[in-house]
Amino acid sequence: MDIETGELQRLRTGPGPDHDQQRPFLVRVRFASEDPARVVENVREVLTCVVTQRGDWPAFERWPRLLPAWFVQRCAPEHPEPEAAGPFDAAAWLRRWGAMTRQQKAAACRGPWMLSDWLHCFDPTEDGAGEDRSWWWWDAGVDEAHGGWVQVVTTGWPFGSGSLSWLIEAGGGTHLVYGP
């Protein structure tokens, strides 16, 4: 079983014995919370919903009914469509992104995210970035009374972690720290 197809199984039951043989590159995100078990449950709930839709990706208008209401409510409001705007200028966006400091980039990736931006990271169609995902669910747990962790398989370090950070923050986690 490969990493991507096993993601739904790991979301539901955790990694099985056959997963140990894969030796993936794992990153653990530690977080604080008054109820870390609830954060893990929230994150699993949202990601399970998204992963189960990958075969037949819904139109954006359907997502607010598919995802848990609490997650949709915690996302930033969608920007209204500009009436006379031209096509998205990816080169200009990349120039602005490249000119940002590390701190500015980190601030830009913090939530709340718009739902459309967050879903774009998982969208497997030509319009989305889901085919270029850089992380997949591996496992999660609770360390202590006010701490928990989410572990993901990544394509390497660093990786596009903004969508993961927002998911954990929306689920109730704070003070995220990435590490092995």
Side-chain angles (χ1 to χ4, degrees):
M1 177 181 316
D2 71 21
I3 298 298
E4 189 172 341
T5 58
E7 183 175 33
L8 186 57
Q9 176 188 342
R10 291 187 308 275
L11 276 161
R12 292 179 173 155
T13 62
D18 59 324
H19 289 103
D20 289 338
Q21 299 168 1
Q22 295 178 354
R23 302 203 186 280
F25 186 84
L26 299 174
V27 172
R28 188 170 281 205
V29 185
R30 297 187 186 285
F31 61 86
S33 172
E34 288 296 316
D35 188 355
R38 181 68 184 161
V39 174
V40 170
E41 184 179 318
N42 287 345
V43 170
R44 269 193 169 112
E45 179 184 20
V46 172
L47 196 54
T48 298
C49 179
V50 171
V51 170
T52 58
Q53 300 297 322
R54 286 189 51 85
D56 187 20
W57 196 254
F60 175 72
E61 297 75 33
R62 289 192 47 222
W63 280 105
R65 292 185 308 276
L66 296 170
L67 290 166
W70 64 262
F71 180 74
V72 174
Q73 291 165 357
R74 290 178 188 167
C75 288
E78 297 292 321
H79 294 299
E81 291 293 325
E83 291 181 26
F88 178 71
D89 187 347
W93 183 89
L94 283 171
R95 281 192 301 278
R96 284 192 305 275
W97 182 259
M100 289 181 179
T101 66
R102 186 176 182 169
Q103 292 80 11
Q104 289 170 322
K105 288 177 183 177
C109 289
R110 280 197 273 285
W113 282 37
M114 290 187 308
L115 181 59
S116 60
D117 287 345
W118 188 81
L119 286 168
H120 178 80
C121 297
F122 300 91
D123 181 350
T125 68
E126 284 184 20
D127 295 331
E131 292 301 320
D132 292 327
R133 275 179 69 188
S134 60
W135 66 268
W136 298 265
W137 181 271
W138 189 259
D139 202 3
V142 175
D143 281 336
E144 56 214 40
H146 298 293
W149 53 271
V150 171
Q151 194 169 34
V152 296
V153 177
T154 70
T155 54
W157 187 266
F159 68 101
S161 60
S163 60
L164 175 60
S165 293
W166 170 238
L167 178 58
I168 296 169
E169 290 171 7
T174 62
H175 306 314
L176 278 55
V177 176
Y178 282 78

